[in-house]
Amino acid sequence: MTETTDLTALATRVLETLRAKGAMVATAESCTGGMVAVALTDIAGSSDVVERGFVTYSNDAKAELLSLPMPLIETHGAVSKPVALAMAEGAFGASHAQIAVSVTGIAGPGGGSAEKPVGTVHFGVVIAGHTPTHSHQVFAGDRAAVRLEATRHALNLLLDAAAALSDER
């Protein structure tokens, strides 16, 4: 199975699970630049599940579109647990979705540090009626590989979130 097919199969499972629950999803993406939303919307009929997506590559976009307080970004950096959680909460609050996922990271080739090396990616997930959750990964490879693996991880988080969502919609 090719990587594209693998992402397509994973995105299809996410859509089918959300559709069965009568739920919609919102995405907030930085380093993936909308790749999670693209993986979902590449599938015909996804409009009944994908509510909206935010590509918030700049800090100003995070603040303006997702209502992130700039001091949060200044204190922790854009690539951090607090910012990933706030991005997911912002997407959730600015949408009609029952699930939101966020992705913020350092895809490279530059921009890394000893504390946050290239490949560092933080994820946030908000599920209606649940406590927001966070995931942190460090992916190996070049920029394309980091972005692909971050997209795959976000889709897996959405699949888990969809399974956790109450059937009582």
Side-chain angles (χ1 to χ4, degrees), residues 88-104:
E89 290 167 347
F92 185 83
S95 71
H96 303 287
Q98 290 73 45
I99 295 176
V101 65
S102 68
V103 185
T104 183

Side-chain angles (χ1 to χ4, degrees), residues 5-42:
T5 304
D6 182 43
L7 278 185
T8 300
L10 183 54
T12 299
R13 288 180 55 206
V14 170
L15 293 172
E16 289 171 348
T17 305
L18 286 169
R19 190 173 287 120
K21 304 266 184 158
M24 298 189 85
V25 64
T27 63
E29 302 179 64
S30 186
C31 69
T32 49
M35 290 173 67
V36 177
V38 166
L40 294 168
T41 59
D42 269 351

Side-chain angles (χ1 to χ4, degrees), residues 46-91:
S46 60
S47 62
D48 64 337
V49 175
V50 180
E51 208 277 330
R52 67 185 71 188
F54 300 90
V55 176
T56 55
Y57 210 71
S58 72
N59 290 341
D60 286 341
K62 289 173 183 66
E64 292 168 15
L65 297 174
L66 301 174
S67 302
L68 263 74
M70 206 47 108
L72 185 72
I73 296 170
E74 292 164 357
T75 301
H76 300 282
V79 179
S80 64
K81 175 181 179 176
V83 169
L85 288 170
M87 286 174 64
E89 290 167 347

